[in-house]
Amino acid sequence: MPDFTVASWLLLGSFLLLLILRIPITFTLFTSSIITALYLKIPLMSIVQRMVGGVNSFSLLAIPFFILSGEMMSRGGISRRLILFSNVLIGRVRGGLAQVNCLASMFFGGISGSAVADVSSIGTMLIPMMKEKGYDDDFSVGVTVTSACQGVIIPPSHNMIIFSLAAGGGVSVGKLFMGGIVPGIMLGVALMIISYIIAVKRNYPKERKFSFKEGIVIAKDAVLGLLTMIIIIGGVVSGVFTATESAAVACVYAFIITFFVYREIKIKEFGAILLNTLRTLAMVMSLIAAANAFGWLLAFLRIPGSVTSFLLGISHNRIVLLLLINVMLLILGCIMDMAPLIIITTPILYPVLVNSLGMDPIQFGIMLILNLSIGLCTPPVGSALFVGCAIGKISIEKAAKGMLPFYIAMIIVLLLVTFVPAISTAVPDMLH
């Protein structure tokens, strides 16, 4: 008879070993699951069924639509228009391009829902522009990478859909979308404050003032793209359509705006956009499938219950537990991607935070996603950080050092979300 304790150590030990060996996370999760299933004498077909079941969900249909609409808008010139619009609104203050970077990321995050897409689109234009105007390399990359993390918190965010499924499907995606609005804006404002303080200290330049007529023309051009976000959020909040349906509607709207209104790219490029979407989707779905099998084995071995008992054994103090869990998630975020972490940690931490400590599921979801978004810009595996450093042509070590003030701002916002429930629950409660 296989020993569950040995199986638990085998599952977690093989997972950590493969991570240390730098095996891609999808194969790490899959291999650990297979090794443990063989030890437990579980038919391998059961693991395959769990993987297929993990991606066989109607809610997940929203993900390809969100990726496709974001891809079309970013290639179709929306990034440039959002930067110009942000420049009109806030470029006149000291360190104007840094402020524009934060605000443009806030707007673009509401369209793409992806930090990496944000860094790629906004960063490609703004990082060289900032360096040319005398901004330090590490500052230019730091503000771009950290502000891009708004993309996974401000709706729409496919990570919120993944969290809803990982939590058993009982958490409303619409409410999660609403719950991300205030924390996302708070994060943007915190980064803008830090940027301003550094800009004043280093005497970074201001941008030129636009005339009222110029501002109106630029705003009209940018608003067409921003309507994508309004369609998604407005449709879900009003109950006109579900998150999946809103993603499909946004996709059609993005197609019309990109190819028939902005017309910066030709219709023949749609094939390349679909191919790029397929690549991203394949990575996301394979991660979800492998993480689902791993998560099922965690539940089968009763690891979530053991973790709950362990954490409650350390302390029954709510503040101590919340701080401990946040530190643990920040460490995990440094070594793993966001999607598998959501699937693995949600069923483990949900009983501790929601059932034992009475935290609202929406607050837990936003706290988890905000925490793990910090991992996207921390070494050694921060995907947004890698892209930012490649664009800025600087080392990860130099970028990470320059980002320390931004990390502090992000952690302050995280603590506020963790200990002030109204920040993430007020808007959903008001609108539902």
Side-chain angles (χ1 to χ4, degrees):
M1 183 73 180
D3 188 321
F4 271 28
T5 305
V6 173
S8 299
W9 282 110
L10 190 61
L11 180 68
L12 299 174
S14 59
F15 172 72
L16 287 172
L17 177 63
L18 292 167
L19 266 186
I20 292 165
L21 293 173
R22 295 290 187 95
I23 305 297
I25 187 67
T26 302
F27 297 109
T28 295
L29 291 163
F30 178 70
T31 307
S32 300
S33 302
I34 293 295
I35 292 168
T36 309
L38 288 170
Y39 172 76
L40 290 167
K41 295 184 173 56
I42 293 172
L44 294 185
M45 186 52 69
S46 296
I47 299 298
V48 174
Q49 285 171 342
R50 292 292 164 183
M51 291 178 72
V52 172
V55 292
N56 187 20
S57 168
F58 178 75
S59 298
L60 287 177
L61 269 177
I63 294 177
F65 287 127
F66 282 141
I67 294 171
L68 179 57
S69 61
E71 188 72 28
M72 283 190 287
M73 297 299 272
S74 62
R75 284 208 189 193
I78 185 64
S79 307
R80 181 177 54 78
R81 288 171 170 84
L82 289 178
I83 289 169
L84 266 174
F85 182 48
S86 302
N87 206 352
V88 169
L89 294 176
I90 204 167
R92 294 187 300 278
V93 303
R94 179 65 59 194
L97 279 182
Q99 305 296 327
V100 167
N101 203 323
C102 293
L103 192 59
S105 291
M106 197 183 293
F107 290 144
F108 193 77
I111 293 169
S112 72
S114 164
V116 174
D118 194 333
V119 175
S120 303
S121 301
I122 304 288
T124 304
M125 282 177 270
L126 274 179
I127 291 175
M129 204 185 296
M130 289 175 77
K131 288 165 71 174
E132 195 179 307
K133 293 208 173 184
Y135 291 79
D136 294 310
D137 291 4
D138 56 351
F139 177 82
S140 304
V141 171
V143 73
T144 305
V145 171
T146 51
S147 64
C149 292
Q150 295 170 94
V152 298
I153 306 159
I154 292 176
S157 169
H158 63 257
N159 291 293
M160 290 178 181
I161 298 167
I162 295 170
F163 170 79
S164 176
L165 290 170
V171 184
S172 161
V173 173
K175 284 193 173 186
L176 283 166
F177 279 2
M178 294 304 97
I181 293 173
V182 176
I185 293 170
M186 278 177 63
L187 179 60
V189 171
L191 295 172
M192 288 166 100
I193 291 168
I194 292 291
S195 299
Y196 179 75
I197 293 167
I198 296 171
V200 169
K201 191 177 176 183
R202 300 183 186 177
N203 197 32
Y204 288 144
K206 299 178 183 180
E207 295 303 295
R208 77 174 180 89
K209 187 175 181 178
F210 288 83
S211 69
F212 181 75
K213 190 178 177 182
E214 283 177 314
I216 292 296
V217 171
I218 290 167
K220 278 172 65 180
D221 211 19
V223 162
L224 286 172
L226 287 173
L227 276 173
T228 312
M229 178 172 62
I230 295 165
I231 287 170
I232 295 166
I233 298 170
V236 173
V237 171
S238 63
V240 173
F241 33 63
T242 64
T244 305
E245 290 162 350
S246 74
V249 172
C251 215
V252 173
Y253 177 79
F255 181 82
I256 294 167
I257 292 296
T258 301
F259 293 105
F260 301 104
V261 179
Y262 289 162
R263 291 186 291 186
E264 288 197 8
I265 54 172
K266 299 189 184 301
I267 196 78
K268 64 182 180 183
E269 291 185 51
F270 188 57
I273 288 171
L274 285 174
L275 186 62
N276 211 35
T277 300
L278 185 62
R279 283 199 194 100
T280 307
L281 184 63
M283 287 190 290
V284 172
M285 288 304 190
S286 61
L287 270 173
I288 293 171
N292 202 67
F294 189 88
W296 177 74
L297 281 167
L298 285 174
F300 180 78
L301 295 168
R302 302 188 191 95
I303 292 173
S306 303
V307 171
T308 303
S309 302
F310 172 72
L311 288 172
L312 293 175
I314 294 172
S315 174
H316 282 278
N317 185 299
R318 181 187 175 88
I319 294 171
V320 172
L321 280 173
L322 287 172
L323 288 172
L324 190 67
I325 287 167
N326 269 310
V327 169
M328 180 184 77
L329 288 171
L330 286 168
I331 293 167
L332 288 172
C334 291
I335 57 172
M336 272 183 74
D337 258 340
M338 182 182 264
L341 265 178
I342 292 171
I343 295 170
I344 293 165
T345 58
T346 299
I348 292 174
L349 297 176
Y350 196 94
V352 183
L353 294 173
V354 178
N355 300 340
S356 299
L357 296 184
M359 181 181 270
D360 188 290
I362 302 297
Q363 185 191 2
F364 169 44
I366 301 302
M367 183 196 87
L368 178 71
I369 291 167
L370 175 55
N371 190 307
L372 298 181
S373 75
I374 298 172
L376 295 173
C377 54
T378 51
V381 295
S383 49
L385 178 62
F386 283 151
V387 175
C389 289
I391 295 168
K393 297 181 176 63
I394 64 168
S395 68
I396 287 172
E397 293 79 13
K398 186 180 178 184
K401 191 178 175 184
M403 285 163 67
L404 286 174
F406 298 107
Y407 290 143
I408 292 166
M410 295 177 88
I411 288 168
I412 289 169
V413 175
L414 173 62
L415 291 173
L416 286 170
V417 169
T418 302
F419 293 107
V420 184
I423 290 172
S424 48
T425 60
V427 175
D429 290 346
M430 199 165 43
L431 295 173
H432 283 78

